[in-house]
Amino acid sequence: MRMGEVAAQIPTSFGHELRACLRCRLVKTYDQFRDSGCENCPFFKIEEDPERIVDVTTPNFNGTISMMDPRRSWAARWLRIGKFAPGCYALAVSETLSEDMQSLCQEERVQYIPPKRI
Amino acid sequence: MLVLIFPISVVIGGGITTVVCLMQKFVDRGSDLQIRSVVALDHFKNYIYVEADKEAHVKEAIKGMRNIYANQKILLVPIREMTDVLCVESKAIDLSRDTWVRMKIGTYKGDLAKVVDVDNVRQRVTVKLIPRIDLQALASKLDGREVVKKKAFVPPPRFMNIDEARELHIRVERRRDPMTGDYFENIGGMLFKDGFMYKAVSLKSIIAQNVTPTFDELEKFNRPSENGEAEFGGLSTLFANRKKGHFMKGDAVIVIKGDLKNLKGWVEKVDEENVLIRSGMKGLPDPLAVNEKELCKYFEPGNHVKVVSGTHEGATGMVVKVDQHVLIILSDMTKEHVRVFADHVVESSEVTTGVTMILSFWSNNPSFGVIIRLENEAFQVLKGNPDRPEVALVKLREIKCKLDRKISVQDRYKGKQGPVRHIYKGVLFIYDRHHLEHAGFICAKCTSCIVVGGSRSGANRNGGDSLSRFSNFKAPAPVPPSPRRFQRGGMGYNGMEGKGWKGRGGRGGRDDSLLGTTVKIRLGPFKGYRGPVVEVKGDSVRVELEMKIVTVDRNAISDNVSVITPSRDISRYSMGSETPMHPSRTPLHPYMTPMRDSGATPIHDGVRTPMRDRAWNPYTPMSPPRDNWEEGNPGSRGTSPQYQPGSPPSRAYEAPTPGSGWASTPGGSYSDAGMPRDHSSAYANAPSPYIQSTPGQPMTPSSTSYLPGTPGGQPMTPGTGLDVMSPVIGGDAEAWFMPDILVDIHKVGEDSDLGVIRDVSDGTCKVSLGSSGEGDTIMALPSELEIVPPRKNDRVKIVGGQFRGSIGTLIGIDGSDGIVKIEENLDVKILDLAILAKFVQP
């Protein structure tokens, strides 16, 4: 198995700073998002507008999965992160992306699946 | 592509760390690490799941990892369960301002708090709480003095009074919060405003799910100088947290938020969050869709409702006032005003009398009482103290057991009247609807009550007795296997008990109580016989039958007379009832005679039937058999009323069996059958022989003397009526004693002789000895005489009933009846053998 792609940043700490991107569920720390934005969702332009971090990421997420090889992982397919970069992802997020952000996704023709509410 | 998932045991809490570390390792090592992914679930903190092709890859990957238990056996997740690994329940915690939450930890654990600010970045919220501050301790601490921290001492919630703090020389700083612009009092690092404490806590230390503030908590929160709007706000979030879908079609609702606020309407349809209502208002779409959160149930004063959740769950009552979300209801049960949320209430015509009818027992002060009211955590109990009403508040855990007594007897109490709901240890709990205190319960000693109306109680002259007997009575309405057996028997104790006692044999050994009591044998070769118990030996008892003592199984007997209650106390009562019996016992013999049955037959059938079904139903109509009796006694019918329970002599008993008045007991049973209502029936059923004799023959007061005795009931054997009774009841003798009839003479100390009554006067009889009366003449008391049952083709004299005095020929015998051809009119009548005596031509 080769590493064909560049992995996303791996979280450097495991406490309260961990946040998950509401669209792709990538998990990183607040600071990491501020530094390099979301690798899977560049259109959010987090680096340019750090305030967005609060809007597009959430600390409320459930379960963590380290995805080493999304292309060949069954789990990745199941979780619909097969197309994303290797890295740490959340199994589920507790918040829905705001309306504005959803329309942004549509404009970019990027898929957004809201979390299932039980 | 075959995918395998391996669970790996990890140190609890180290799941995420390991997952991330493995990711890092992957990034560093590249192709060395051949696993595809690793999952750590929040709710399975001791395992991580590795996705890989081969187990070997997994082993390689976890080598050297901290947090992973080394050398563990690597298992495999079955394919079916693979997806479960990845399934997580996503909880949506929408924390917003004014949300109600509860504290998870610390001094305020469990306390209700309101969110005032949410800081998502730092995962903290500022909440507003009712402070639990020990000012003294705080003052000491701030002064630098030693504070003795009382262990596990949680100060009660109390609003912070700044002045009070100042008095204790606690430094109070007034600060302005840069964010909100409000002024806060800073005391020892804690912020206060309006008496509330404001605290910043992490999200992890609060519970936001299913937080339903109770009415009291809400009141407390909203009390200090907050206007109605604020309360509203609180309540609306309360509603927001409500479970969905509890509006039902047809509910009356009112809009509480938005443009349509205060609009009333009716629910037409509920569709998840949207409720369609019809308002009938012009200009509005009909039906109108309103968000569930903006609606609230609406009630009008006068509606009868039931509370379905919350503190007062289960209560029913009438709405007296509607105050936005809060309804004031007059509870049916406790006749008090209760405040509840409109949310918790549905319209209902159900009236709860409450769970008040439980007799309970509590341990610290062994006593008993009836629950008259349910409160949140305790019961209000009317203690079993007949002298004065005593109410105690009993906590749930102090209740030992529920005592089950089911008796319904009408009783009168100091002018108050009401059915007895429970009886225990000689104390009656009477429910009087008109009684305003204690939910209508009155506690009284059974001796101070007498039975009113009705039946069953087997009225004893001494009301107390019967009642006390009842108290001991354990079994509910008895319907013994063979009620018929009871019929007569009833006497004495209020049949009820007897019935209950059927199985007495099986009930614990109450040997002492059996001794001496008259029982009826139900099974075995001696079935049908009655006799006193002379000895008790474990499982069997010895019963004296007609000069013979037999051994029968305990279970085969039924207690005829007096109730032998298991409790020791009761035996007293039984004894009481037994007493009268004794005298009657002597003439037991007669009972054994066919006569007993003869009379019984018709009655039994009639009476029995209804009885069987509902032993104590006083209203069971008397059946035809009665007619048998009627035959001869149209007149008696008329007289019967005399014997109605009302009959003076038997006053105590009232009803049970008219006529059976005496019988009280057995009669009682019958009375249940409805005798009270139907006089004639009474007679019919009344086992009391009196009835038989009665027709036409007045039951003399003497009979009444037997009332208590009832046990005397034996004589009651239906049919036998007089015959039987005579020995027992001196007074009645005249009933059947007539000249020219053949009798058996039982003089004390002598053998029985045959004789013919020649003359009856003043209660004594002149009897000529010999089967045809040719011998000497002696004087005898009716109690010493006994009718000799006639045989077929004998000439008979009818000594009871309508045709008393007539002579006829017994042309046939049918069971316990005799077919008689009356000489004077050549009528053929069917009469009870008990009233037929062999005629001896003078």
Side-chain angles (χ1 to χ4, degrees):
Chain A
M1 181 182 57
R2 294 170 300 111
M3 193 156 57
E5 6 183 337
V6 180
Q9 275 186 313
I10 294 152
T12 49
S13 71
F14 318 106
H16 293 263
E17 302 107 46
L18 282 184
R19 301 182 75 89
C21 171
L22 285 174
R23 183 192 90 97
C24 63
R25 303 204 294 271
L26 180 68
V27 171
K28 295 205 300 193
T29 64
Y30 180 90
D31 297 326
Q32 284 176 313
F33 273 114
R34 203 184 38 194
D35 290 340
S36 43
C38 178
E39 286 87 342
N40 296 313
C41 319
F43 49 86
F44 281 145
K45 302 214 178 14
I46 292 171
E47 309 92 312
E48 291 165 35
D49 188 10
E51 301 229 346
R52 275 230 171 130
I53 299 176
V54 189
D55 296 329
V56 300
T57 65
T58 173
N60 283 331
F61 60 89
N62 250 322
T64 318
I65 180 166
S66 275
M67 184 48 60
M68 286 89 178
D69 194 352
R71 310 287 171 261
R72 291 169 67 184
S73 162
W74 160 83
R77 270 189 304 139
W78 185 268
L79 295 167
R80 295 182 214 265
I81 54 176
K83 302 277 166 71
F84 295 148
C88 292
Y89 290 88
L91 288 181
V93 286
S94 314
E95 285 173 26
T96 322
L97 199 58
S98 67
E99 294 282 342
D100 313 335
M101 291 299 144
Q102 284 196 39
S103 15
L104 180 57
C105 292
Q106 279 169 6
E107 283 170 32
E108 301 285 334
R109 297 211 196 92
V110 186
Q111 194 187 32
Y112 169 67
I113 300 153
K116 273 207 182 79
R117 292 286 171 101
I118 297 173
Chain B
M1 147 172 30
L2 190 61
V3 169
L4 299 166
I5 300 193
F6 303 88
I8 301 292
S9 169
V10 296
V11 170
I12 292 181
I16 295 196
T17 316
T18 313
V19 165
V20 176
C21 283
L22 279 169
M23 190 70 216
Q24 188 66 59
K25 198 167 168 187
F26 172 79
V27 170
D28 297 339
R29 304 280 197 78
S31 45
D32 280 353
L33 214 62
Q34 300 192 51
I35 57 179
R36 297 189 207 270
S37 64
V38 189
V39 184
L41 294 166
D42 282 353
H43 48 268
F44 277 140
K45 298 195 175 93
N46 50 347
Y47 272 95
I48 59 169
Y49 295 88
V50 182
E51 185 194 352
D53 290 339
K54 292 192 209 171
E55 185 183 322
H57 297 324
V58 179
K59 271 208 174 127
E60 176 70 32
I62 63 175
K63 225 186 332 190
M65 275 284 184
R66 287 172 33 158
N67 291 337
I68 295 184
Y69 293 113
N71 298 329
Q72 59 179 276
K73 179 152 172 64
I74 298 180
L75 308 160
L76 197 59
V77 172
I79 298 183
R80 263 174 284 133
E81 295 169 27
M82 273 168 45
T83 55
D84 294 337
V85 172
L86 298 176
C87 277
V88 210
E89 214 186 73
S90 62
K91 8 173 210 169
I93 309 173
D94 264 331
L95 271 182
S96 51
R97 302 194 85 203
D98 291 344
T99 317
W100 291 108
V101 295
R102 269 188 209 280
M103 303 302 292
K104 267 200 239 181
I105 46 168
T107 332
Y108 297 92
K109 181 173 170 180
D111 279 1
L112 189 70
K114 196 194 257 202
V115 175
V116 296
D117 187 47
V118 181
D119 183 355
N120 259 316
V121 176
R122 271 171 281 155
Q123 300 273 38
R124 293 175 80 80
V125 288
T126 312
V127 293
K128 182 167 117 173
L129 296 154
I130 300 180
R132 284 179 189 261
I133 303 287
D134 182 356
L135 282 172
Q136 290 281 18
L138 189 60
S140 314
K141 192 166 79 161
L142 288 177
D143 282 351
R145 277 179 276 154
E146 279 284 322
V147 178
V148 179
K149 175 124 193 237
K150 296 178 218 166
K151 294 246 160 147
F153 170 66
V154 179
R158 211 167 47 99
F159 288 105
M160 172 56 77
N161 190 325
I162 307 298
D163 300 320
E164 219 180 291
R166 289 217 169 96
E167 269 170 44
L168 289 168
H169 304 298
I170 296 177
R171 180 128 177 267
V172 178
E173 269 183 48
R174 207 172 161 94
R175 290 248 197 92
R176 190 174 156 276
D177 180 21
M179 300 273 237
T180 61
D182 288 328
Y183 281 93
F184 285 93
E185 262 75 49
N186 186 325
I187 298 174
M190 296 181 284
L191 295 170
F192 298 92
K193 181 165 100 101
D194 295 331
F196 284 101
M197 179 165 119
Y198 288 71
K199 201 169 153 77
V201 292
S202 90
L203 277 180
K204 293 229 157 82
S205 54
I206 55 169
I207 303 174
Q209 304 267 36
N210 293 329
V211 173
T212 325
T214 65
F215 193 65
D216 300 321
E217 281 174 322
L218 241 103
E219 268 198 331
K220 271 185 113 181
F221 242 89
N222 293 320
R223 222 184 345 128
S225 61
E226 281 199 8
N227 50 19
E229 273 310 307
E231 178 171 343
F232 225 149
L235 288 173
S236 57
T237 45
L238 165 64
F239 296 140
N241 290 337
R242 240 179 10 201
K243 282 180 283 218
K244 290 191 187 182
H246 78 281
F247 282 118
M248 293 213 299
K249 183 171 169 185
D251 277 347
V253 291
I254 185 171
V255 182
I256 50 170
K257 250 178 160 182
D259 299 334
L260 298 162
K261 190 164 155 188
N262 284 336
L263 176 70
K264 294 184 203 148
W266 287 270
V267 176
E268 177 75 21
K269 188 180 154 190
V270 177
D271 176 20
E272 288 211 2
E273 288 202 8
N274 284 324
V275 181
L276 294 168
I277 61 171
R278 277 194 187 282
S279 62
M281 287 261 280
K282 299 196 181 90
L284 287 174
D286 195 27
L288 178 62
V290 181
N291 192 302
E292 197 197 37
K293 296 191 180 122
E294 295 166 8
L295 278 180
C296 175
K297 278 206 251 201
Y298 181 72
F299 293 93
E300 299 222 346
N303 281 3
H304 195 272
V305 296
K306 179 172 171 156
V307 184
V308 295
S309 65
T311 334
H312 301 281
E313 184 178 342
T316 59
M318 195 179 76
V319 178
V320 291
K321 187 169 173 223
V322 176
D323 182 12
Q324 308 214 333
H325 300 269
V326 176
L327 306 177
I328 301 182
I329 295 175
L330 182 68
S331 166
D332 289 331
M333 213 181 358
T334 59
K335 305 278 180 277
E336 285 182 357
H337 287 96
V338 166
R339 293 184 72 185
V340 289
F341 281 126
D343 252 8
H344 296 164
V345 160
V346 292
E347 192 162 348
S348 149
S349 44
E350 193 184 317
V351 176
T352 314
T353 40
V355 196
T356 55
M357 315 301 185
I358 313 175
L359 198 62
S360 313
F361 209 94
W362 69 92
S363 57
N364 55 356
N365 171 15
S367 51
F368 54 96
V370 170
I371 295 179
I372 56 173
R373 195 164 111 192
L374 286 179
E375 295 182 9
N376 218 352
E377 289 160 357
F379 301 103
Q380 203 175 67
V381 178
L382 176 65
K383 278 169 96 154
N385 189 341
D387 299 329
R388 56 173 205 286
E390 196 183 318
V391 174
L393 212 56
V394 175
K395 296 240 184 330
L396 192 54
R397 62 186 119 86
E398 289 169 26
I399 301 225
K400 221 170 162 187
C401 64
K402 173 178 160 180
L403 304 169
D404 251 322
R405 300 272 183 276
K406 291 191 233 158
I407 298 184
S408 232
V409 179
Q410 296 280 125
D411 288 312
R412 202 187 301 150
Y413 170 65
K414 268 194 201 151
K416 289 232 184 227
Q417 209 168 335
V420 173
R421 282 291 154 99
H422 304 284
I423 301 181
Y424 189 70
K425 278 197 177 160
V427 177
L428 306 176
F429 290 94
I430 300 156
Y431 177 68
D432 184 1
R433 270 177 314 127
H434 308 293
H435 189 74
L436 298 172
E437 291 184 299
H438 313 302
F441 272 98
I442 303 171
C443 181
K445 265 205 167 35
C446 52
T447 45
S448 51
C449 298
I450 56 173
V451 177
V452 174
S455 51
R456 303 205 241 167
S457 45
N460 254 343
R461 185 170 357 169
N462 179 358
D465 267 356
S466 62
L467 291 173
S468 28
R469 246 175 284 192
F470 278 119
S471 44
N472 298 309
F473 183 67
K474 271 247 174 195
V479 184
S482 41
R484 62 184 100 158
R485 300 244 172 214
F486 263 92
Q487 300 173 324
R488 312 307 126 65
M491 21 241 164
Y493 56 176
N494 329 324
M496 252 204 289
E497 293 169 321
K499 294 194 182 171
W501 287 104
K502 266 290 164 135
R504 197 165 36 93
R507 267 190 241 222
R510 309 283 169 188
D511 300 17
D512 30 321
S513 40
L514 259 187
L515 268 186
T517 56
T518 300
V519 299
K520 208 184 240 176
I521 301 175
R522 298 190 289 126
L523 308 166
F526 303 101
K527 180 171 167 181
Y529 282 66
R530 243 181 263 155
V533 175
V534 294
E535 194 188 345
V536 176
K537 256 187 307 197
D539 264 335
S540 49
V541 300
R542 286 175 69 69
V543 182
E544 177 191 18
L545 310 171
E546 281 206 276
M547 303 311 180
K548 193 164 64 157
I549 300 186
V550 298
T551 309
V552 289
D553 192 52
R554 224 179 216 281
N555 294 326
I557 55 175
S558 79
D559 207 357
N560 250 356
V561 189
S562 67
V563 176
I564 307 222
T565 50
S567 55
R568 312 110 309 208
D569 309 340
I570 316 300
S571 40
R572 247 183 291 135
Y573 301 119
S574 334
M575 290 327 283
S577 55
E578 288 175 55
T579 325
M581 277 210 354
H582 301 305
S584 52
R585 245 177 313 151
T586 328
L588 209 55
H589 317 294
Y591 310 152
M592 301 305 194
T593 56
M595 271 197 305
R596 174 164 53 99
D597 292 327
S598 54
T601 326
I603 301 189
H604 295 266
D605 296 338
V607 183
R608 231 183 321 179
T609 328
M611 295 308 300
R612 219 193 314 246
D613 300 339
R614 284 180 299 274
W616 300 112
N617 183 350
Y619 304 103
T620 320
M622 280 326 189
S623 39
R626 227 174 325 143
D627 297 336
N628 297 345
W629 297 109
E630 323 287 41
E631 280 179 28
N633 317 311
S636 44
R637 239 0 97 76
T639 49
S640 10
Q642 263 172 276
Y643 295 95
Q644 291 316 309
S647 61
S650 45
R651 66 214 119 88
Y653 306 103
E654 335 279 24
T657 340
S660 25
W662 308 340
S664 17
T665 28
S669 7
Y670 295 108
S671 15
D672 296 343
M675 296 233 221
R677 320 277 145 218
D678 189 347
H679 302 325
S680 28
S681 338
Y683 280 104
N685 300 316
S688 39
Y690 295 116
I691 309 223
Q692 273 80 43
S693 33
T694 330
Q697 259 75 39
M699 289 308 203
T700 50
S702 45
S703 345
T704 37
S705 55
Y706 275 83
L707 288 169
T710 342
Q714 269 143 10
M716 311 280 187
T717 355
T720 16
L722 289 177
D723 308 317
V724 182
M725 294 315 281
S726 3
V728 185
I729 303 166
D732 289 328
E734 64 222 326
W736 65 268
F737 299 105
M738 298 183 75
D740 306 322
I741 59 171
L742 191 67
V743 289
D744 258 353
I745 308 161
H746 301 282
K747 285 262 186 206
V748 177
E750 294 172 9
D751 291 331
S752 67
D753 266 345
L754 281 177
V756 179
I757 298 179
R758 288 299 173 200
D759 196 17
V760 179
S761 53
D762 280 334
T764 56
C765 305
K766 265 208 196 110
V767 183
S768 299
L769 296 173
S771 55
S772 38
E774 58 294 53
D776 292 345
T777 306
I778 58 162
M779 300 299 290
L781 286 172
S783 49
E784 297 165 326
L785 305 177
E786 191 188 321
I787 289 190
V788 171
R791 286 190 298 259
K792 193 169 162 188
N793 291 328
D794 275 0
R795 274 183 89 196
V796 293
K797 186 163 192 176
I798 303 169
V799 299
Q802 197 182 8
F803 303 98
R804 184 170 184 269
S806 303
I807 316 269
T809 310
L810 185 65
I811 56 177
I813 295 182
D814 176 24
S816 56
D817 294 332
I819 305 167
V820 179
K821 187 154 139 193
I822 299 177
E823 276 172 26
E824 38 202 30
N825 51 12
L826 295 180
D827 265 0
V828 175
K829 294 284 175 198
I830 299 177
L831 303 166
D832 196 314
L833 278 174
I835 57 164
L836 301 175
K838 188 162 156 116
F839 179 69
V840 177
Q841 194 71 48

